[in-house]
Amino acid sequence: MFVDPEHASASGRTKPQRHRSSHREIADELRSRIRSGVLRPGERMPTQAKLADEFGVERGAVRQALRILQSERLLTNVSKGSPATVAAVPGPARPPAGPAAPPQPTMVGLAPRIAAAFAAPHVRIDALCLTSVSLTLAIGEPLRQIHAGRLKPAKIDVRLLLPSRDIDLAFPTPVAADDGGLLHRRWLAQRNAQGLVLRQNLLALCTTHGIDVRVSFRALPFTPPVKLYLLNGAEALFAYYTLGRREREIGQEHVEMYDADGTRSMLFAFEERAGQRDAAFVEQSRLWFDALWETISSDLVLTS
């Protein structure tokens, strides 16, 4: 969790062992309570005095945290004398996670979770996939929310692991005869085009909104049989690429191929706070992604 430097040292209060939260940490915790339903729409928040005592801070830090949540349209009446109220429609809705959460097609399950992740001050997204089509589409809504002034992240870090252009892909691949590299060229053009659009749209936020944005790509020496999205280090979304026999018209040619529709892959959601099982899956997914990023992957340069 992010900690402001000015709050990193001992607070000097009468309880020296108590951690003194920053206003961003307070906002993160209250946001989590709203998202999880602990604080319900229309419910009054605790008073600023009670929140200040709970987090071991002055009321000024609480007011800063409440203003952040008001800017995200999670709270109303923050500037009035009475306690703030949880907004009737508290921002982007995140579907449930954990063992009871049903899997959903990628484009149904991914978009709302990406939008919810962008409510954090520091947005961190790691993705491993065949192309970045689903991620590029899913990020469209939070980008619109940022341009509308409803989301205000301070920093965005995105890392993508994609197959290298130099490998023979396991899929898409022709069913029978050699296609002369037609499918590989089509996949490569899609990989590069989607990655360039994603990077351009995110980096534009540096100029338009002063957001610190970093987008990095690395190339894998294999075709990933699964896709993985890690959101803010606390949530893992996992799906299998399920192959099928398909027919496509590419240019002037009719091609039979084995391929997967990644936008329809069923996405399973695991959240760190949903219990020991989910927390272990999120942690192991982070370790697996970082290991691939730091070892056998290589530099990836996108070209139009």
Side-chain angles (χ1 to χ4, degrees), residues 254-276:
H254 177 80
V255 181
E256 292 187 64
M257 68 181 81
Y258 294 118
D259 199 5
D261 185 348
T263 63
R264 296 177 183 269
S265 298
M266 298 302 289
L267 201 65
F268 294 81
F270 300 83
E271 197 166 1
E272 200 170 44
R273 298 183 181 183
Q276 184 176 1

Side-chain angles (χ1 to χ4, degrees), residues 67-88:
R67 290 192 191 106
I68 289 174
L69 299 182
Q70 184 181 42
S71 72
E72 297 171 4
R73 297 194 172 185
L74 295 176
L75 295 179
T76 60
N77 302 326
V78 168
S79 60
K80 299 182 179 180
S82 58
T85 303
V86 179

Side-chain angles (χ1 to χ4, degrees), residues 212-285:
D212 181 7
V213 178
R214 287 181 292 182
V215 184
S216 306
F217 297 86
R218 299 279 290 172
L220 291 169
F222 61 88
T223 309
V226 300
K227 58 167 57 181
L228 175 70
Y229 305 95
L230 297 168
L231 309 182
N232 294 340
E235 191 169 11
L237 309 175
F238 174 91
Y240 295 101
Y241 283 116
T242 302
L243 297 183
R245 184 166 178 157
R246 307 174 190 278
E247 297 182 5
R248 294 283 189 275
E249 290 291 338
I250 303 177
Q252 302 297 320
E253 297 190 42
H254 177 80
V255 181
E256 292 187 64
M257 68 181 81
Y258 294 118
D259 199 5
D261 185 348
T263 63
R264 296 177 183 269
S265 298
M266 298 302 289
L267 201 65
F268 294 81
F270 300 83
E271 197 166 1
E272 200 170 44
R273 298 183 181 183
Q276 184 176 1
R277 164 189 169 274
D278 277 42
F281 187 89
V282 173
E283 174 64 16
Q284 290 302 310
S285 296

Side-chain angles (χ1 to χ4, degrees), residues 167-180:
I167 65 172
D168 292 328
L169 291 172
F171 62 92
T173 188
V175 171
D178 182 8
D179 67 350

Side-chain angles (χ1 to χ4, degrees), residues 14-137:
T14 57
K15 299 178 181 179
Q17 298 303 316
R18 185 178 184 181
H19 171 68
R20 188 170 185 173
S21 302
S22 72
H23 67 279
R24 292 192 182 279
E25 287 181 300
I26 297 169
D28 288 345
E29 174 59 27
L30 295 179
R31 185 188 299 108
S32 175
R33 294 178 191 179
I34 294 171
R35 300 278 191 217
S36 64
V38 174
L39 293 169
R40 299 182 179 278
E43 181 180 344
R44 283 192 171 186
M45 297 284 291
T47 65
Q48 292 183 14
K50 287 183 179 179
L51 290 172
D53 182 67
E54 176 185 350
F55 291 101
V57 297
E58 303 296 334
R59 291 193 193 183
V62 170
R63 283 193 291 271
Q64 284 181 282
L66 296 180
R67 290 192 191 106
I68 289 174
L69 299 182
Q70 184 181 42
S71 72
E72 297 171 4
R73 297 194 172 185
L74 295 176
L75 295 179
T76 60
N77 302 326
V78 168
S79 60
K80 299 182 179 180
S82 58
T85 303
V86 179
V89 183
R94 175 186 286 148
Q104 296 178 304
T106 294
M107 285 317 300
V108 176
L110 181 61
R113 293 180 185 277
I114 292 287
F118 267 76
H122 183 184
V123 181
R124 290 171 293 141
I125 298 176
D126 292 335
L128 178 149
C129 42
L130 188 67
T131 68
S132 58
V133 171
S134 297
L135 182 60
T136 301
L137 291 171

Side-chain angles (χ1 to χ4, degrees), residues 184-198:
H184 189 279
R185 291 193 299 273
R186 176 176 174 266
W187 161 81
L188 181 61
Q190 185 180 53
R191 186 205 72 171
N192 289 347
Q194 292 295 323
L196 288 169
V197 168
L198 178 66

